[in-house]
Amino acid sequence: RSGKAEVCLVRIACHELESFYLGDLAAVEKAFPRCKAAHFQKGRLYRDPDNTTPNAAEQLRKLVQGGGVSYQKISGSRAIAPYLDLSGKNTSASFNILIQGIQRLARELDSGG
């Protein structure tokens, strides 16, 4: 009702952000090279991490630990984020919706609208 619907984007993260990372195990592997996680991407838990992974942070911790590294939420997020694929290949639907919304706002700002 504010009249700002055209220039606003509301997204609420209801689950752990680690679901975003589980949707792009190639990014996890790039951030933690000793962790060979990418080949798990087609597994049940990773095809739809928003809905099938009960504790995403714990699952990510287990994957990374397999590479002999300890996963910490803040440092892990900083390590993984630069490698996340923004093209829509992430299996986390909520991640893709967030990115699409941000890209839409950026286009609108660029076009002056």
Side-chain angles (χ1 to χ4, degrees), residues 23 31 36 41-42 46 51 77-78 82-83 91 96:
K36 301 301 178 194
Q41 195 69 70
K42 294 189 190 301
Y46 310 107
N51 296 313
S77 291
R78 287 182 178 145
Y83 300 108
T91 62
N96 292 325

Side-chain angles (χ1 to χ4, degrees), residues 79-108:
I80 296 168
Y83 300 108
L84 288 171
D85 187 318
L86 306 181
S87 71
K89 294 178 184 176
N90 193 307
T91 62
S92 167
S94 61
F95 177 80
N96 292 325
I97 290 168
L98 172 67
I99 296 302
Q100 289 168 5
I102 292 169
Q103 290 171 336
R104 178 183 60 85
L105 286 176
R107 282 192 305 274
E108 290 172 5

